[in-house]
Every structure is written in C-alpha cells, then in structure tokens.
Amino acid sequence: PEGSRSRPPPRRAARSRRRPEGKVACGAGPGAMPGRGALCLGLLLPVLLGCGSAQPGGCPALCECSEPAKTVKCVNRNLTAVPPDLPPYVRSLFITGNPLTDLPAGAFPAQRLPDLTSLNLSGNHLRTVEAGSLALPALRQLDLSGNALVSFSPQAFGEGGSPLEELALRGALRDHGVLLSLAALLQSGALRNLSRLELADNGLLLLPAGMFTALPALRQLDLSNNSLVGLRNVSFQGLGQLQSLNLSNNSLGVLWNSTLVQFRSLPALRHIVLGHNTWVCDCAIEDLVAWLKESNQVEGKEALTCASPDKMLGKALLKINGSDLNCSMPTDLPSQLQTSYVFLGIVLALIGAIFLLVLYLNRKGIKKWMHNIRDACRDHMEGYHYRYEINADPRLTNLSSNSDV
C-alpha cells in the first residue's frame, strides 16, 4: 500500500507523456527557451491594444445602443448632463424625458461625434442652450420640443453656420426673449440650409419682423396652435421654395392685401392651412374672400367660417357677398382718422372764436376789472413797503414800541 501511494496517478502520467516536447511555458524556467517571455509579450500586446481601442465604442451605462443601427437611446434615465462617453459611431441620438437643464459649449464634441445626423432632445427640462453646444458637422435634424427654454444663444451652432435641415421647437418658445434670440439666429444666415421649421404650440402673438428672410431653402413652416393675431409685420419674401404653411388654430381675424400679395408671389406655395381662426366678417375681409374664391393654395377653404359679428356667425367665407357685408360706406381706417382730425380742428376753432367774441363784447368791464386789480396790488405793495421802512429804522421801531397810541 505504501508503494502504491508513492506512484503518481495514471492520468497525470499519461498527460505528461502526451505533452509535446516543443511547447514550453512562457516566462523563465528550467526548460524555457531564450527570449520566450518577449515572444509571449509580443503576442499579447495586440490583444491588449484591441481591448483598449474598443472602449470608446462602448455604450454609456444608462443608455441603450445599437451599433448596426448606429443608434443610441437615453430615455427617462434621470440624466442631468449629456453622457461624455457616447460611441463615435452614433448617427441617431435620443436623449428625452430627463431632468437635463443646460447644454454647455462642447456638450456634443464634433471630433468625437463626426457622424451624428439626428439629435432628439425633446421632453427634457432644458432652459439654456449655450454658444457652441450644437456645433456638429453632420447634424441634419434637431428636436428641442417640450423644453421650457429661457436662453438660446444665436451662436449655438457655431460661428461658421450649420448644415441643419429640420428644426422642431414645438412648445419651447414660451419666453419672448428666446423668440428674439431665435429670430436673430435665423436672420444671421447660420441656418440657410433649413428646409423644415416647426414653431407650433408656443402661444405666439406676433412674430419679429424679417424673421424668415434668410431661409432660402425653407419648404415647410408650421405656425399652428399659437395666438397669432396678424401677419402684417411678417415678410415671406425670399422664401421661393416654401411649399407648406400651416396657420391653423390661431387668432387671425383677417389677412390684409399686403400678405395676400406675398402668397401669390410664392410659386411653390401650394398648401396653406387656415382652419380654426377667428375670422371677422366685416368690410375688411373682402380681399380675403376674393382671394379664397380665386386661389387653389388653401386646403379645406370650404370649411372656413365667420366668428363675428353675431349676424355672420358660422357663415362660410366662400359664400359671403358684398351685400352681406354692407360696405357702401368707406371703411379705410386712415381716412376715418383724417376725417376725425378735421372735425376736431373745426370744433376747436369755433370755441376759440366764441371766446374772443366774449372778450371783445366785455372789453370795458374787463378793463375796469384789470384796473381794480392793479390798484389793489399797488395798495398791498405799499403796505409791505411801509412795514419794511419801520423795521429797518431803529428809531421808528423804539417809537412804535414805547408809544401809547
């Protein structure tokens, strides 16, 4: 039994017999070949380098990534900042539903994300978009809808302009200062490639003058679900490629002839939506009615109806005639104001003439009254002068104080 214990197990002996003589373990040892450790290190070095180069292509811990689809989604992950380790292969990035409040400069590094084409930042709590935060060389689509923006830098896309083609700002321009910043950005020419602009659901009353003049490639403009009361200060000149204009669900009462002339001058504009506005059917709407009857640009124009006055409520605009509006009297506001000013001048001149006539008829009494006032003022001044002389002469002062009279 003691001899059997000293013998090695048969399997281990067989395994040692099958070991090839040419295979020696790495490192230094009794049977190691000279330079074997360096050879093993040379074989392991490419593996280590490969592992190190794979790290930038990894996925952020709170996001979902698909390298074949070139997509990264960071949805409802309580992110307070843009993940710094986004993979460079990403083309479509979704960061939505997070308490993200600020986009600082370099939030999306251009060198790290050279192929980022579509960026969706909707439904966050963004308030500030700083200069250089969106300077991406391949960015074509940007969605900032559903954010309560307070500050939007006109240099957000960098100094040299952006290739951006679609910009969605639905419900993100509640602050008037942000609207002015956006207008400055558009007027600067930084987004000359923009073809689709969505400004719906922002409660806009008026648009800054010349806001769209530097957008020659614009094809779709959505201004629906706002509170626009007029378009007189809005210029559509230069929008030669504009195809679709949505003005539904606003507070438009009339479109003046100057705006209608601009619509006629845009050759590509074939889809204008004007539904659900508060059209005021008085004499000022004649030009709009005539344009609707002859134009093919308005979609669903048969459904446009009057909102006021009460006698015209619900009447279709296409069925309005001149007799319905009772426009025999001129309704031009400037002419009405001019007539009012003339009448006011006549009234004032008549009052002035009556006043002068009263003065002339009572000239003797007025003269006597003025003499009485002069005498009274003279007596009063003489009394003051007499008191001054008494106070100035000490002898008269002592006399007046010691006298019994």
Side-chain angles (χ1 to χ4, degrees):
E2 294 178 359
S4 61
R5 289 179 183 176
S6 61
R7 289 180 300 177
R11 181 178 299 175
R12 185 176 298 174
R15 186 176 298 173
S16 63
R17 286 195 299 271
R18 289 196 299 269
R19 178 180 295 172
E21 296 179 358
K23 293 186 178 181
V24 182
C26 294
M33 294 176 60
R36 194 69 178 176
L39 178 61
C40 292
L41 182 59
L43 293 175
L44 290 174
L45 187 58
V47 177
L48 295 175
L49 292 176
C51 294
S53 64
Q55 290 179 358
C59 186
L62 297 177
C63 302
E64 300 176 1
C65 305
S66 174
E67 186 171 358
K70 311 295 183 184
T71 301
V72 175
K73 295 182 179 180
C74 311
V75 181
N76 298 326
R77 296 293 185 176
N78 290 324
L79 296 176
T80 57
V82 177
D85 52 348
L86 293 170
Y89 62 74
V90 62
R91 293 186 179 178
S92 298
L93 176 59
F94 297 82
I95 303 179
T96 62
N98 294 285
L100 185 65
T101 59
D102 183 35
L103 280 185
F108 301 98
Q111 295 180 352
R112 182 179 174 84
L113 305 172
D115 299 325
L116 183 57
T117 304
S118 177
L119 179 58
N120 191 330
L121 297 172
S122 62
N124 293 298
H125 298 132
L126 282 177
R127 296 177 62 83
T128 303
V129 179
E130 299 181 10
S133 58
L134 298 169
L136 293 163
L139 189 62
R140 298 292 188 276
Q141 300 173 345
L142 175 62
D143 192 347
L144 292 171
S145 301
N147 289 288
L149 294 178
V150 175
S151 175
F152 194 110
S153 173
Q155 290 80 35
F157 295 92
E159 298 294 337
S162 171
L164 192 68
E165 296 177 356
E166 299 183 9
L167 176 59
L169 292 165
R170 179 181 289 270
L173 302 177
R174 297 287 179 175
D175 187 272
H176 185 67
V178 177
L179 177 63
L180 297 179
S181 299
L182 176 65
L185 170 64
L186 298 178
Q187 292 172 346
S188 68
L191 302 180
R192 295 186 65 84
N193 296 318
L194 199 65
S195 62
R196 181 174 178 270
L197 180 58
E198 185 176 350
L199 302 177
D201 297 326
N202 286 306
L204 304 177
L205 291 173
L206 294 172
L207 296 174
M211 184 174 180
F212 309 118
T213 54
L215 300 175
L218 192 64
R219 296 185 179 182
Q220 299 179 10
L221 179 58
D222 189 355
L223 294 169
S224 62
N225 296 309
N226 284 295
S227 301
L228 295 175
V229 296
L231 298 175
R232 268 194 164 183
N233 61 327
V234 181
S235 175
F236 297 96
Q237 299 296 331
L239 303 182
Q241 299 188 35
L242 186 63
Q243 299 175 357
S244 174
L245 176 60
N246 193 343
L247 293 168
S248 62
N249 291 284
N250 278 285
S251 301
L252 296 174
V254 65
L255 292 180
W256 297 98
N257 194 41
S258 58
T259 303
L260 302 178
V261 169
Q262 293 187 64
F263 289 164
R264 293 190 187 98
S265 65
L266 299 177
L269 185 56
R270 289 292 178 268
H271 304 283
I272 303 177
V273 184
L274 297 174
H276 302 285
N277 279 283
T278 56
W279 303 113
V280 179
C281 296
D282 56 13
C283 295
I285 207 170
E286 278 188 311
D287 292 334
L288 174 60
V289 171
W291 174 70
L292 288 175
K293 291 180 179 180
E294 69 180 21
S295 174
N296 296 323
Q297 296 175 292
V298 182
E299 294 183 357
K301 59 183 180 180
E302 295 80 8
L304 302 180
T305 58
C306 301
S308 61
D310 293 338
K311 66 176 183 179
M312 301 290 289
L313 181 63
K315 187 176 182 63
L317 265 62
L318 290 178
K319 295 183 179 180
I320 293 178
N321 298 317
S323 58
D324 299 327
L325 300 176
N326 190 21
C327 297
S328 56
M329 297 298 293
T331 59
D332 188 24
L333 184 59
S335 63
Q336 288 183 346
L337 292 176
Q338 185 177 3
T339 303
S340 301
Y341 292 149
V342 172
F343 179 74
L344 179 61
I346 294 175
V347 171
L348 292 177
L350 183 60
I351 293 175
I354 294 175
F355 179 73
L356 293 176
L357 180 61
V358 170
L359 291 179
Y360 177 76
L361 294 177
N362 294 276
R363 59 188 183 278
K364 295 182 179 180
I366 294 174
K367 187 177 180 180
K368 183 178 179 181
W369 176 70
M370 293 183 67
H371 284 301
N372 293 334
I373 293 178
R374 184 190 62 185
D375 295 340
C377 292
R378 181 183 297 169
D379 295 340
H380 197 66
M381 293 301 296
E382 288 179 352
Y384 274 113
H385 183 69
Y386 175 72
R387 292 178 184 177
Y388 174 76
E389 289 179 348
I390 292 178
N391 293 331
D393 192 347
R395 295 176 299 173
L396 295 178
T397 304
N398 295 331
L399 179 63
S400 61
S401 61
N402 297 326
S403 176
D404 294 334
V405 181

